[in-house]
Amino acid sequence: MRAIFEPGWTWEADEKPLLGSPDSCPMRHTGYCMSGKLVVRMIDTGIETHLSTGDFFEIPPGHDAYVEGAERVELILFAPPEHQH
């Protein structure tokens, strides 16, 4: 799946309400950053990870995020298999 986040996008303002306003994102994300800069913050520890063009990532549940800077963020997100063999 391709995800695009424009400058000024934040998980808190733009995604949280769509998910029923949980404290943090309940999903795991694995993917590749094609462009831009995204800051991901783990809610329980406050640790921030800065993703930028060319980075592969795995983000566990329990985070929020925001676009850093004036460039749009484009990600490719990999979905886990539907079932195990």
Side-chain angles (χ1 to χ4, degrees):
M1 176 179 118
R2 186 174 177 187
I4 298 174
F5 304 118
E6 298 295 338
W9 176 90
T10 69
W11 182 87
E12 183 80 21
D14 300 304
E15 298 295 321
K16 182 177 182 172
L18 300 175
L19 298 172
S21 296
D23 292 336
S24 62
C25 182
M27 294 177 266
R28 176 175 300 279
H29 306 289
T30 303
Y32 176 76
C33 183
M34 294 174 34
S35 66
K37 295 179 182 180
L38 186 72
V39 178
V40 178
R41 181 177 63 96
M42 296 307 299
I43 299 300
D44 60 344
T45 64
I47 294 174
E48 291 186 345
T49 300
H50 294 254
L51 303 176
S52 60
T53 304
D55 288 342
F56 284 93
F57 58 85
E58 183 171 2
I59 303 166
H63 62 274
D64 67 5
Y66 62 91
V67 172
E68 182 176 50
E71 184 181 357
R72 93 177 355 182
V73 172
E74 295 186 48
L75 307 174
I76 296 294
L77 299 171
F78 306 111
E82 294 290 326
H83 63 278
Q84 298 294 324
H85 293 276

